[in-house]
Amino acid sequence: MTFELDKKNILGKVDKSQKGKIDTGIKEICDLINNNKNYYTTSSCSGRIVLLEADSNKKNKAKWLFVSHESTDFESISKKLDSKSEVWLRQEGAILHICCKDLESAEKLINLVKSIGFKRAGMISINKRFVVEIISSEHLCAPVIKKGKKIVTDEYFSVLISEANKKIRKNKEKLEHLKTNLETFK
Amino acid sequence: MTFELDKKNILGKVDKSQKGKIDTGIKEICDLINNNKNYYTTSSCSGRIVLLEADSNKKNKAKWLFVSHESTDFESISKKLDSKSEVWLRQEGAILHICCKDLESAEKLINLVKSIGFKRAGMISINKRFVVEIISSEHLCAPVIKKGKKIVTDEYFSVLISEANKKIRKNKEKLEHLKTNLETFK
């Protein structure tokens, strides 16, 4: 009963993420997974476009200046483009951590998501719990401010945003595909 | 004896990768892994800086215009920056696929690499073989040519190369650390 008890406990807990709730873009997928007796989600992100400020004086300290889980536009993101240190524009694909009842369930899930185009899927924990990580591989990652100075022209920054939007849309299509497949996944 | 036989067969095969041989930067790590009775490598890359040409008319068709597994410089890479379609500059971290004798060996390996800073490590195949994938997470990914036109200034392109070099050096440090740890890994 440990798996069932853990599932009940985890799903009953308060969300500790920075956002404090599941992104709407991935909520239905999490629900489909959690309604399956062999699985439950421990964390998720539907994919995002972010401005990340890295303070080079403080290692491992990074701050989000902007976050969007949807397509965005030049004006919205430019307003947040202000820093005295270093800023990167990043687009990151969806990520899901799913606890599986047993090895067989983990294998079935990995096979499903790989077959529909999620290249990065693997079991990241084997000992106490069987946890599968699924990552959508679209990404973009480019510096936009260095030493407090904007290093991209407006024109190039627009291209970066347009490319990030394209990738976030591709990521959404893959999530839709995953959702459809999960509806009949036993 | 299946694992031992597979190991012998795989390690005896001709390298089918585009390069046709193991990158020198990761050769010693592969040797350390292959000398351990519980593991063998099926593929590897020490990390790289590439110019990738994506032909938007031909989906899934991408061509490398430039590849370096070491730091590079503006002149070497600029010489290859020529295309009538779309080109991206990418820096990608090291990747290793390792076949493990059993679940216990896979778990031990995942725990080792996670403890020394490889965030992306998981078992990607569970059924016929236990295959662990390890990826070093440094990356950079930015468009440099669109519709045959260079969209980055020389100054910004220099920054991209310098950042890619920094990341490839960090990736090398992690590989050195992995090598040291593998020397005493039983």
Side-chain angles (χ1 to χ4, degrees), chain A residues 19-40:
Chain A
K19 207 180 171 189
K21 60 174 183 171
I22 298 176
D23 316 331
T24 48
I26 209 156
K27 172 93 173 63
E28 288 172 285
I29 286 174
C30 290
D31 287 346
L32 283 165
I33 293 166
N34 291 323
N35 285 334
N36 185 312
K37 66 178 185 348
N38 296 328
Y39 306 96
Y40 64 89

PDB file of all heavy atoms in Angstrom, chain A residues 19-40:
ATOM      1  N   LYS A  19       5.339  29.381  -8.224  1.00  0.00           N
ATOM      2  CA  LYS A  19       4.059  29.878  -8.714  1.00  0.00           C
ATOM      3  C   LYS A  19       2.904  29.517  -7.773  1.00  0.00           C
ATOM      4  O   LYS A  19       1.889  30.205  -7.714  1.00  0.00           O
ATOM      5  CB  LYS A  19       3.796  29.268 -10.107  1.00  0.00           C
ATOM      6  CG  LYS A  19       2.909  30.139 -10.962  1.00  0.00           C
ATOM      7  CD  LYS A  19       2.690  29.491 -12.317  1.00  0.00           C
ATOM      8  CE  LYS A  19       1.626  30.238 -13.089  1.00  0.00           C
ATOM      9  NZ  LYS A  19       1.255  29.514 -14.307  1.00  0.00           N
ATOM     10  N   GLY A  20       3.086  28.419  -7.037  1.00  0.00           N
ATOM     11  CA  GLY A  20       2.081  28.020  -6.056  1.00  0.00           C
ATOM     12  C   GLY A  20       0.907  27.241  -6.608  1.00  0.00           C
ATOM     13  O   GLY A  20       0.030  26.826  -5.881  1.00  0.00           O
ATOM     14  N   LYS A  21       0.855  27.067  -7.944  1.00  0.00           N
ATOM     15  CA  LYS A  21      -0.200  26.229  -8.532  1.00  0.00           C
ATOM     16  C   LYS A  21       0.270  25.657  -9.867  1.00  0.00           C
ATOM     17  O   LYS A  21       1.250  26.130 -10.439  1.00  0.00           O
ATOM     18  CB  LYS A  21      -1.500  27.027  -8.708  1.00  0.00           C
ATOM     19  CG  LYS A  21      -1.341  28.237  -9.620  1.00  0.00           C
ATOM     20  CD  LYS A  21      -2.663  28.915  -9.895  1.00  0.00           C
ATOM     21  CE  LYS A  21      -2.441  30.058 -10.861  1.00  0.00           C
ATOM     22  NZ  LYS A  21      -3.621  30.672 -11.373  1.00  0.00           N
ATOM     23  N   ILE A  22      -0.447  24.642 -10.326  1.00  0.00           N
ATOM     24  CA  ILE A  22      -0.070  24.009 -11.601  1.00  0.00           C
ATOM     25  C   ILE A  22      -0.438  24.940 -12.757  1.00  0.00           C
ATOM     26  O   ILE A  22      -1.510  25.524 -12.773  1.00  0.00           O
ATOM     27  CB  ILE A  22      -0.812  22.659 -11.768  1.00  0.00           C
ATOM     28  CG1 ILE A  22      -0.399  21.692 -10.643  1.00  0.00           C
ATOM     29  CG2 ILE A  22      -0.515  22.036 -13.119  1.00  0.00           C
ATOM     30  CD1 ILE A  22      -1.150  20.368 -10.661  1.00  0.00           C
ATOM     31  N   ASP A  23       0.479  25.094 -13.751  1.00  0.00           N
ATOM     32  CA  ASP A  23       0.161  25.872 -14.960  1.00  0.00           C
ATOM     33  C   ASP A  23      -1.096  25.302 -15.599  1.00  0.00           C
ATOM     34  O   ASP A  23      -1.212  24.088 -15.744  1.00  0.00           O
ATOM     35  CB  ASP A  23       1.251  25.746 -16.040  1.00  0.00           C
ATOM     36  CG  ASP A  23       2.645  25.867 -15.484  1.00  0.00           C
ATOM     37  OD1 ASP A  23       2.811  26.546 -14.465  1.00  0.00           O
ATOM     38  OD2 ASP A  23       3.558  25.258 -16.069  1.00  0.00           O
ATOM     39  N   THR A  24      -1.965  26.189 -16.038  1.00  0.00           N
ATOM     40  CA  THR A  24      -3.195  25.708 -16.655  1.00  0.00           C
ATOM     41  C   THR A  24      -2.904  24.827 -17.876  1.00  0.00           C
ATOM     42  O   THR A  24      -3.613  23.868 -18.134  1.00  0.00           O
ATOM     43  CB  THR A  24      -4.098  26.885 -17.092  1.00  0.00           C
ATOM     44  OG1 THR A  24      -3.282  27.820 -17.803  1.00  0.00           O
ATOM     45  CG2 THR A  24      -4.739  27.569 -15.902  1.00  0.00           C
ATOM     46  N   GLY A  25      -1.839  25.141 -18.597  1.00  0.00           N
ATOM     47  CA  GLY A  25      -1.486  24.400 -19.809  1.00  0.00           C
ATOM     48  C   GLY A  25      -1.203  22.933 -19.583  1.00  0.00           C
ATOM     49  O   GLY A  25      -1.215  22.139 -20.515  1.00  0.00           O
ATOM     50  N   ILE A  26      -0.911  22.551 -18.342  1.00  0.00           N
ATOM     51  CA  ILE A  26      -0.539  21.154 -18.089  1.00  0.00           C
ATOM     52  C   ILE A  26      -1.468  20.507 -17.052  1.00  0.00           C
ATOM     53  O   ILE A  26      -1.364  19.320 -16.777  1.00  0.00           O
ATOM     54  CB  ILE A  26       0.955  21.081 -17.684  1.00  0.00           C
ATOM     55  CG1 ILE A  26       1.565  19.740 -18.083  1.00  0.00           C
ATOM     56  CG2 ILE A  26       1.152  21.381 -16.198  1.00  0.00           C
ATOM     57  CD1 ILE A  26       3.041  19.766 -18.267  1.00  0.00           C
ATOM     58  N   LYS A  27      -2.414  21.284 -16.561  1.00  0.00           N
ATOM     59  CA  LYS A  27      -3.325  20.806 -15.504  1.00  0.00           C
ATOM     60  C   LYS A  27      -4.105  19.557 -15.946  1.00  0.00           C
ATOM     61  O   LYS A  27      -4.166  18.572 -15.202  1.00  0.00           O
ATOM     62  CB  LYS A  27      -4.287  21.952 -15.144  1.00  0.00           C
ATOM     63  CG  LYS A  27      -5.427  21.605 -14.210  1.00  0.00           C
ATOM     64  CD  LYS A  27      -5.070  21.874 -12.777  1.00  0.00           C
ATOM     65  CE  LYS A  27      -6.260  21.683 -11.826  1.00  0.00           C
ATOM     66  NZ  LYS A  27      -6.784  20.323 -11.791  1.00  0.00           N
ATOM     67  N   GLU A  28      -4.656  19.602 -17.172  1.00  0.00           N
ATOM     68  CA  GLU A  28      -5.454  18.456 -17.637  1.00  0.00           C
ATOM     69  C   GLU A  28      -4.611  17.190 -17.787  1.00  0.00           C
ATOM     70  O   GLU A  28      -5.079  16.091 -17.515  1.00  0.00           O
ATOM     71  CB  GLU A  28      -6.113  18.784 -18.981  1.00  0.00           C
ATOM     72  CG  GLU A  28      -7.258  19.785 -18.860  1.00  0.00           C
ATOM     73  CD  GLU A  28      -7.748  20.224 -20.220  1.00  0.00           C
ATOM     74  OE1 GLU A  28      -7.041  21.034 -20.862  1.00  0.00           O
ATOM     75  OE2 GLU A  28      -8.809  19.753 -20.654  1.00  0.00           O
ATOM     76  N   ILE A  29      -3.357  17.379 -18.214  1.00  0.00           N
ATOM     77  CA  ILE A  29      -2.457  16.231 -18.344  1.00  0.00           C
ATOM     78  C   ILE A  29      -2.184  15.629 -16.965  1.00  0.00           C
ATOM     79  O   ILE A  29      -2.227  14.411 -16.777  1.00  0.00           O
ATOM     80  CB  ILE A  29      -1.154  16.658 -19.059  1.00  0.00           C
ATOM     81  CG1 ILE A  29      -1.448  16.855 -20.547  1.00  0.00           C
ATOM     82  CG2 ILE A  29      -0.036  15.640 -18.860  1.00  0.00           C
ATOM     83  CD1 ILE A  29      -0.312  17.407 -21.358  1.00  0.00           C
ATOM     84  N   CYS A  30      -1.894  16.489 -15.995  1.00  0.00           N
ATOM     85  CA  CYS A  30      -1.650  16.009 -14.624  1.00  0.00           C
ATOM     86  C   CYS A  30      -2.885  15.270 -14.101  1.00  0.00           C
ATOM     87  O   CYS A  30      -2.768  14.209 -13.481  1.00  0.00           O
ATOM     88  CB  CYS A  30      -1.304  17.164 -13.696  1.00  0.00           C
ATOM     89  SG  CYS A  30       0.320  17.861 -14.031  1.00  0.00           S
ATOM     90  N   ASP A  31      -4.074  15.817 -14.365  1.00  0.00           N
ATOM     91  CA  ASP A  31      -5.307  15.161 -13.899  1.00  0.00           C
ATOM     92  C   ASP A  31      -5.455  13.770 -14.511  1.00  0.00           C
ATOM     93  O   ASP A  31      -5.795  12.812 -13.823  1.00  0.00           O
ATOM     94  CB  ASP A  31      -6.540  16.018 -14.252  1.00  0.00           C
ATOM     95  CG  ASP A  31      -6.625  17.249 -13.361  1.00  0.00           C
ATOM     96  OD1 ASP A  31      -5.909  17.292 -12.340  1.00  0.00           O
ATOM     97  OD2 ASP A  31      -7.386  18.178 -13.707  1.00  0.00           O
ATOM     98  N   LEU A  32      -5.182  13.669 -15.812  1.00  0.00           N
ATOM     99  CA  LEU A  32      -5.291  12.365 -16.483  1.00  0.00           C
ATOM    100  C   LEU A  32      -4.318  11.364 -15.860  1.00  0.00           C
ATOM    101  O   LEU A  32      -4.650  10.196 -15.650  1.00  0.00           O
ATOM    102  CB  LEU A  32      -5.004  12.509 -17.989  1.00  0.00           C
ATOM    103  CG  LEU A  32      -6.131  13.094 -18.843  1.00  0.00           C
ATOM    104  CD1 LEU A  32      -5.616  13.517 -20.211  1.00  0.00           C
ATOM    105  CD2 LEU A  32      -7.253  12.053 -19.023  1.00  0.00           C
ATOM    106  N   ILE A  33      -3.106  11.831 -15.572  1.00  0.00           N
ATOM    107  CA  ILE A  33      -2.103  10.946 -14.965  1.00  0.00           C
ATOM    108  C   ILE A  33      -2.535  10.546 -13.552  1.00  0.00           C
ATOM    109  O   ILE A  33      -2.485   9.377 -13.170  1.00  0.00           O
ATOM    110  CB  ILE A  33      -0.714  11.634 -14.944  1.00  0.00           C
ATOM    111  CG1 ILE A  33      -0.193  11.801 -16.378  1.00  0.00           C
ATOM    112  CG2 ILE A  33       0.284  10.848 -14.090  1.00  0.00           C
ATOM    113  CD1 ILE A  33       0.974  12.746 -16.530  1.00  0.00           C
ATOM    114  N   ASN A  34      -2.988  11.536 -12.789  1.00  0.00           N
ATOM    115  CA  ASN A  34      -3.356  11.254 -11.400  1.00  0.00           C
ATOM    116  C   ASN A  34      -4.627  10.407 -11.270  1.00  0.00           C
ATOM    117  O   ASN A  34      -4.846   9.774 -10.240  1.00  0.00           O
ATOM    118  CB  ASN A  34      -3.492  12.562 -10.616  1.00  0.00           C
ATOM    119  CG  ASN A  34      -2.133  13.224 -10.429  1.00  0.00           C
ATOM    120  OD1 ASN A  34      -1.127  12.544 -10.226  1.00  0.00           O
ATOM    121  ND2 ASN A  34      -2.094  14.547 -10.511  1.00  0.00           N
ATOM    122  N   ASN A  35      -5.424  10.390 -12.327  1.00  0.00           N
ATOM    123  CA  ASN A  35      -6.621   9.531 -12.308  1.00  0.00           C
ATOM    124  C   ASN A  35      -6.299   8.080 -12.669  1.00  0.00           C
ATOM    125  O   ASN A  35      -7.166   7.218 -12.593  1.00  0.00           O
ATOM    126  CB  ASN A  35      -7.685  10.075 -13.274  1.00  0.00           C
ATOM    127  CG  ASN A  35      -8.366  11.288 -12.696  1.00  0.00           C
ATOM    128  OD1 ASN A  35      -8.420  11.458 -11.466  1.00  0.00           O
ATOM    129  ND2 ASN A  35      -8.874  12.157 -13.559  1.00  0.00           N
ATOM    130  N   ASN A  36      -5.060   7.840 -13.080  1.00  0.00           N
ATOM    131  CA  ASN A  36      -4.636   6.475 -13.393  1.00  0.00           C
ATOM    132  C   ASN A  36      -4.051   5.860 -12.111  1.00  0.00           C
ATOM    133  O   ASN A  36      -3.179   6.466 -11.475  1.00  0.00           O
ATOM    134  CB  ASN A  36      -3.586   6.532 -14.511  1.00  0.00           C
ATOM    135  CG  ASN A  36      -3.168   5.158 -14.995  1.00  0.00           C
ATOM    136  OD1 ASN A  36      -2.868   4.265 -14.213  1.00  0.00           O
ATOM    137  ND2 ASN A  36      -3.146   4.986 -16.311  1.00  0.00           N
ATOM    138  N   LYS A  37      -4.505   4.683 -11.764  1.00  0.00           N
ATOM    139  CA  LYS A  37      -4.101   4.099 -10.474  1.00  0.00           C
ATOM    140  C   LYS A  37      -2.593   3.803 -10.355  1.00  0.00           C
ATOM    141  O   LYS A  37      -2.063   3.664  -9.258  1.00  0.00           O
ATOM    142  CB  LYS A  37      -4.918   2.845 -10.164  1.00  0.00           C
ATOM    143  CG  LYS A  37      -4.682   1.666 -11.111  1.00  0.00           C
ATOM    144  CD  LYS A  37      -5.517   0.469 -10.665  1.00  0.00           C
ATOM    145  CE  LYS A  37      -5.279  -0.810 -11.446  1.00  0.00           C
ATOM    146  NZ  LYS A  37      -4.532  -0.842 -12.663  1.00  0.00           N
ATOM    147  N   ASN A  38      -1.906   3.738 -11.504  1.00  0.00           N
ATOM    148  CA  ASN A  38      -0.486   3.387 -11.460  1.00  0.00           C
ATOM    149  C   ASN A  38       0.484   4.573 -11.440  1.00  0.00           C
ATOM    150  O   ASN A  38       1.696   4.380 -11.445  1.00  0.00           O
ATOM    151  CB  ASN A  38      -0.127   2.514 -12.669  1.00  0.00           C
ATOM    152  CG  ASN A  38      -0.860   1.204 -12.634  1.00  0.00           C
ATOM    153  OD1 ASN A  38      -1.144   0.673 -11.566  1.00  0.00           O
ATOM    154  ND2 ASN A  38      -1.199   0.675 -13.813  1.00  0.00           N
ATOM    155  N   TYR A  39      -0.062   5.794 -11.445  1.00  0.00           N
ATOM    156  CA  TYR A  39       0.809   6.966 -11.564  1.00  0.00           C
ATOM    157  C   TYR A  39       0.348   8.146 -10.718  1.00  0.00           C
ATOM    158  O   TYR A  39      -0.846   8.283 -10.438  1.00  0.00           O
ATOM    159  CB  TYR A  39       0.869   7.456 -13.022  1.00  0.00           C
ATOM    160  CG  TYR A  39       1.261   6.397 -14.021  1.00  0.00           C
ATOM    161  CD1 TYR A  39       0.290   5.687 -14.727  1.00  0.00           C
ATOM    162  CD2 TYR A  39       2.599   6.086 -14.231  1.00  0.00           C
ATOM    163  CE1 TYR A  39       0.644   4.693 -15.637  1.00  0.00           C
ATOM    164  CE2 TYR A  39       2.951   5.093 -15.138  1.00  0.00           C
ATOM    165  CZ  TYR A  39       1.975   4.403 -15.838  1.00  0.00           C
ATOM    166  OH  TYR A  39       2.326   3.423 -16.729  1.00  0.00           O
ATOM    167  N   TYR A  40       1.294   9.014 -10.355  1.00  0.00           N
ATOM    168  CA  TYR A  40       0.931  10.352  -9.871  1.00  0.00           C
ATOM    169  C   TYR A  40       2.066  11.322 -10.169  1.00  0.00           C
ATOM    170  O   TYR A  40       3.233  10.929 -10.253  1.00  0.00           O
ATOM    171  CB  TYR A  40       0.545  10.352  -8.383  1.00  0.00           C
ATOM    172  CG  TYR A  40       1.623   9.973  -7.395  1.00  0.00           C
ATOM    173  CD1 TYR A  40       2.476  10.935  -6.853  1.00  0.00           C
ATOM    174  CD2 TYR A  40       1.764   8.654  -6.959  1.00  0.00           C
ATOM    175  CE1 TYR A  40       3.447  10.582  -5.920  1.00  0.00           C
ATOM    176  CE2 TYR A  40       2.736   8.306  -6.037  1.00  0.00           C
ATOM    177  CZ  TYR A  40       3.580   9.274  -5.516  1.00  0.00           C
ATOM    178  OH  TYR A  40       4.540   8.927  -4.598  1.00  0.00           O
TER     179      TYR A  40
END
